[in-house]
Amino acid sequence: MSADLKKSSSNGSEKSLINEEQQAKISEIRRLIGPLPEKLAIYCSDAAIARYLRARNWNVKKATKMLKETLKWRAEYKPEEIRWEEVAHEAETGKIYRSNYIDKHGRTVLVMRPSCQNSKSTKGQIRYLVYCMENAILNLPADQEQMVWLIDFNGFNLSHISLKVTRETAHVLQEHYPERLGVAILYNPPKFFEPFWTVARPFLEPKTQNKVKFVYTDDPNTKKIMEDLFEMEKLESAFGGNDDSGFDVNKYAERMREEDKRIPAFWTKSEAPPEPMPTSSVDLNSFDSDASDSGKVSASHVSDSEGLISDKSVLVTKGSDNGNGSKELLYR
């Protein structure tokens, strides 16, 4: 395991060494999950497993269940295969994009503008959100594993609220991207947002709730949150900064197309020798949490290279990592 496995707070990155007990829990989860196909093995670095453990207060049973559900989801949903051209129509208004600046702690920043919603498709909206999350993670520096969300409520009204999308968004982010949020800045939310926030809060883990910060331009105390987090010269003027450039979908599209080219190389093992896996037919439904409850390892494993929700019998032919050589889900 990497000795610099870290834990980030809303104020930045704090490197903390994993003690022997925690390392033993990481190893136990590896044993319960068993060998994995290439992409899922790359995903399951020690740092990734530690995030699931932290999200479940280092409870091996709960963290294993959570991680197995994510592995099944990734095998079916294939988030690493989403490309710009598939989701470009969702991005046209700039409702979500990765900024070209980072915060003072080096964390990537996702800007979100709910009033710029241009789609009624829950599936399309979630697909684009996942694309943005994957892109933000892959662009994190080596000493960070969390990001910042800047949510601009300018022009927001009741017509932009969808509880269905809110529930699905909360589910995907909490269940499949644990410990990825450092802080979420809600910038100038309207007064009527408070009742909506009251409704939405129960869908969020208490730990996540505490990462949400309200900032108002007419409140000097909350404005200081922005000054503490960002270089104001680089921050967009919409958030009180000095950069007036704004969002240009054409420039952003060009940037995303270039970054998409980096994805395939990352999801191909190059640093660790493969461990042979037997060729066998596997059932995604067997990749559940029951094995962790009994301490037994399921004989079947998920393939990340094939398999759709409608066809859960897949063929595993690729090798897997032994765990020690798996890569963390970010570019070094």
Side-chain angles (χ1 to χ4, degrees):
M1 187 203 73
S2 174
D4 66 347
L5 189 61
K6 66 276 182 191
K7 180 176 181 180
S8 301
S9 70
S10 62
N11 294 320
S13 175
E14 296 177 359
K15 291 185 178 180
S16 59
L17 296 177
I18 295 298
N19 61 39
E20 290 184 6
E21 180 182 358
Q22 292 168 338
Q23 179 60 53
K25 291 183 177 183
I26 292 173
S27 299
E28 175 65 7
I29 289 182
R30 283 200 181 283
R31 186 188 70 80
L32 290 170
I33 291 203
L36 294 168
E38 184 177 47
K39 291 179 183 178
L40 296 185
I42 291 172
Y43 178 80
C44 282
S45 65
D46 280 2
I49 294 174
R51 283 195 298 274
Y52 283 82
L53 280 164
R54 290 202 303 271
R56 292 297 179 262
N57 295 314
W58 293 91
N59 182 298
V60 170
K61 178 179 176 181
K62 292 180 179 180
T64 301
K65 177 182 178 181
M66 185 184 190
L67 178 55
K68 284 185 173 183
E69 288 172 350
T70 291
L71 294 175
K72 180 179 178 181
W73 174 77
R74 292 191 73 90
E76 296 174 345
Y77 200 80
K78 303 184 188 305
E80 77 284 351
E81 293 184 9
I82 305 174
R83 297 295 183 269
W84 171 256
E85 301 304 333
E86 177 186 343
V87 296
H89 61 286
E90 292 280 348
E92 292 174 352
T93 58
K95 63 183 178 184
I96 308 178
Y97 60 92
R98 199 187 95 241
S99 70
N100 57 7
Y101 53 88
I102 56 179
D103 78 343
K104 289 182 179 179
H105 307 287
R107 296 177 292 192
T108 52
V109 178
L110 281 185
V111 175
M112 305 178 181
R113 292 195 163 93
S115 65
C116 294
Q117 183 55 257
N118 62 335
S119 169
K120 295 186 180 297
S121 168
T122 300
K123 180 180 178 180
Q125 291 179 50
I126 297 301
R127 192 77 174 166
Y128 181 53
L129 173 67
V130 169
Y131 173 81
C132 292
M133 288 294 295
E134 294 285 312
N135 177 269
I137 291 168
L138 293 174
N139 282 280
L140 283 168
D143 64 344
Q144 274 291 357
E145 57 182 357
Q146 295 186 325
M147 67 187 72
V148 177
W149 297 348
L150 278 179
I151 308 174
D152 181 7
F153 282 91
N154 181 48
F156 181 79
N157 58 54
L158 290 173
S159 68
H160 299 121
I161 296 177
S162 169
L163 290 180
K164 180 180 180 181
V165 174
T166 299
R167 284 194 297 267
E168 183 65 18
T169 297
H171 171 75
V172 169
L173 294 178
Q174 289 190 140
E175 298 303 318
H176 304 313
Y177 294 95
E179 297 295 307
R180 284 303 193 181
L181 176 63
V183 59
I185 304 294
L186 277 59
Y187 198 79
N188 282 335
K191 293 298 181 182
F192 68 78
F193 181 79
E194 294 179 9
F196 175 68
W197 173 243
T198 301
V199 173
R201 278 181 69 97
F203 298 117
L204 304 175
E205 297 287 346
K207 187 183 298 185
T208 303
Q209 294 176 21
N210 295 332
K211 294 178 180 179
V212 176
K213 309 295 181 184
F214 288 76
V215 175
Y216 301 91
T217 53
D218 58 356
D219 184 346
N221 292 326
T222 59
K223 283 179 65 178
K224 190 175 186 301
I225 294 175
M226 305 300 285
E227 295 171 352
D228 289 343
L229 278 176
F230 299 100
E231 297 291 346
M232 301 307 286
E233 288 298 320
K234 299 178 181 178
L235 184 66
E236 295 173 56
S237 57
F239 297 106
N242 300 325
D243 185 352
D244 295 321
S245 58
F247 176 75
D248 185 321
V249 67
N250 294 321
K251 291 181 179 179
Y252 191 70
E254 182 179 352
R255 181 174 154 207
M256 291 300 102
R257 289 190 187 101
E258 287 301 311
E259 295 192 2
D260 281 356
K261 295 176 183 178
R262 301 162 57 193
I263 299 174
F266 172 78
W267 289 106
T268 302
K269 285 182 303 183
S270 60
E271 298 178 1
E275 176 182 301
M277 273 188 72
T279 299
S280 60
S281 180
V282 301
D283 182 2
L284 289 180
N285 285 325
S286 69
F287 202 58
D288 54 27
S289 59
D290 294 340
S292 65
D293 295 348
S294 62
K296 297 179 180 179
V297 183
S298 173
S300 300
H301 303 290
V302 177
S303 168
D304 60 298
S305 58
E306 295 291 341
L308 298 173
I309 297 176
S310 59
D311 180 11
K312 296 182 178 178
S313 179
V314 298
L315 186 68
V316 175
T317 58
K318 294 183 177 181
S320 68
D321 281 326
N322 60 11
N324 295 328
S326 60
K327 292 179 282 186
E328 165 62 326
L329 188 61
L330 49 84
Y331 283 117
R332 297 304 192 200

